[in-house]
Amino acid sequence: MDKKEISRKASENGLLLSSAALERIADEGLDCEAIFRKAKESGEWFVKPELVDEEAKSKAPVCEGAAESVKGEGRPPACDMPSRLVIYEDSDVSGKSTCSGTIEDFVGYFNARYENLRRVLLERAEYRSAMNIDALRKGSPKEKARIIAMVREKREGKNKGNRFLEVEDQTGELTVLLSDKSEAMGGVWDRVLPDEVLGFEGVLRGDLFIASEVNQPDIPLNHVRRYADEDVYAVFLSDVHVGSYLFLEKEFQSFIEWLNGRGSRQDIAWRVKYVFVAGDLVDGIGIYPGQEKELTMPDVVKQYEFLSMLLSEIPPHIEVVLSMGNHDAVRNAEPQPKVARDLALRLYEMPNVHVVGNPIRLSAHGVEFLIYHGTSLDTIIGGISGCSYSRPETAMVELLKRRHLAPTYGSDSLSPENRDYMFIDDVPDVFHCGHVHTNGYTLYRGVNVINSGTWQAKTAYQERLGHQPTPALVPVMNLQNHEVTMLDFNGDGRGD
Ligand code: FE
Ligand code: ZN
């Protein structure tokens, strides 16, 4: 089986292959199906060389030198591919923030949020006849009805097992009882978050709506994926944290070297046309108490300047998109506008670098991307059982199901704009986050869900919380067939 075939099989199984694992499976002719089965059984999404080791024990020794450093020669094909990058300006809050903190801002924001999510639910045939709460009360139909409402509160009744949701729409409020039947549909109660918009099917009995079915807006099952028409790659980065004494400069340098055709997998490096960075470009200053002791550069302008120096080594035919995170020198509340020009002048002056807000929508070679730093993943991981810091992709899927990047207003630091920038409107082909400093990957209803990890070694804070960061692992995606490969720039930094 050749490498293409092996990668295709991996992606069919929702798995990522490390490039070293791929080389070994191909070179040693190992049974990839058995390896993938084993990976899935042990709940892994990333096939590491260790997994291949087990399979290879009975086989011939490793073919050494497969990933030997190669000095780039010739001309990268990506040089001759015209850039096809479209950054959707309307998805970027930069320069457009309307929020002044008035009560009208909040009302306007909540209305926009509700209307957007309601529209998604109305696309489902069964919700076309959904009633508003006022009409439901007035009509008090005997038979089943459907409503679309925002959750205000979760509450458990005195009688054990009675679970209520206080919900509302623009016309009124209602108490919903989650019946055993709706509970049977996958533990709805455990997953409901305050402020999320849900569809309910059930019957009205007096003042109580007894729900038999609960639906999230979700990604439609018929989402049609878009592919590039040529062999071209995008690279995903996040949480670079330049300025932190834990920034892995050497590893980051080997990544840049790799983009220049020095290292293994030159076949990929030379077809890279896009590098996307999902925020936390720098470590910032004053982000948490005592941070100054952990900085090598206690000046944010210097931090951005150093980043621009590193990025200036990226070949100019590669487009670099820099989005923001909670460590960047912009407001904390999301959506975040891009960093001011005078704080990051050098970055603004680079012709192949695009500084944008967070979140951001863009299209590259016809493939649609949603890039979001991921601050709300903390709320999701803390609030939904089954989501953890070691598997950020599961929390990212929860955002997709809610079609919203910050489902809980109170926990996530949000700015009530007159438009809901956090709403996931058109379904992307790739959903890219960072923030948790751990790589993750899954395929959810045709959407490639990628968390791009970090370039910062484990901080004291992460040590205390028991988090395991996965620095210097870089997901790259072939936009022609959506195959994602993980490159490892740890150790000798060969990119395998
Ligand atoms: Fe970070
Ligand atoms: Zn962050």
Side-chain angles (χ1 to χ4, degrees), residues 440-451:
Y441 171 76
T442 193
L443 189 65
Y444 179 70
R445 297 193 172 183
V447 182
N448 285 276
V449 176
I450 298 175
N451 197 298

Side-chain angles (χ1 to χ4, degrees), residues 239 241 278-280 325-327 373-375 378 434-437:
D239 301 274
H241 288 270
D280 281 2
N326 58 311
H327 278 256
H373 179 59
T375 312
D378 290 327
H435 185 62
V436 294
H437 292 211

Side-chain angles (χ1 to χ4, degrees), residues 391-435:
R391 303 292 299 266
E393 72 282 8
T394 54
M396 290 172 68
V397 168
E398 294 296 329
L399 296 179
L400 289 178
K401 287 180 179 171
R402 287 165 180 79
R403 295 289 288 271
H404 206 274
L405 296 173
T408 301
Y409 187 89
S411 318
D412 306 321
S413 170
L414 284 188
S415 170
E417 303 295 336
N418 62 358
R419 244 202 71 189
D420 190 1
Y421 291 89
M422 309 306 279
F423 167 53
I424 305 174
D425 196 349
D426 298 323
V427 177
D429 300 308
V430 181
F431 178 33
H432 169 207
C433 288
H435 185 62

Side-chain angles (χ1 to χ4, degrees), residues 237-257 280-283 294 296-297 306-307 310 437 439 452-459 462 468-474 488-491 493:
L237 309 178
S238 55
D239 301 274
V240 191
H241 288 270
V242 168
S244 159
Y245 82 102
L246 294 166
F247 166 53
L248 298 168
E249 189 182 331
K250 192 170 91 4
E251 286 77 359
F252 195 78
Q253 295 273 18
S254 356
F255 161 70
I256 304 274
E257 287 276 295
D280 281 2
L281 307 174
V282 298
D283 207 45
E294 301 187 347
T296 51
M297 268 174 262
F306 193 72
L307 176 69
L310 294 165
H437 292 211
N439 289 79
S452 48
T454 184
W455 294 89
Q456 188 183 35
K458 197 198 272 183
T459 63
Q462 289 161 344
Q468 250 347 310
T470 55
L473 283 182
V474 178
D488 186 349
F489 293 93
N490 287 287

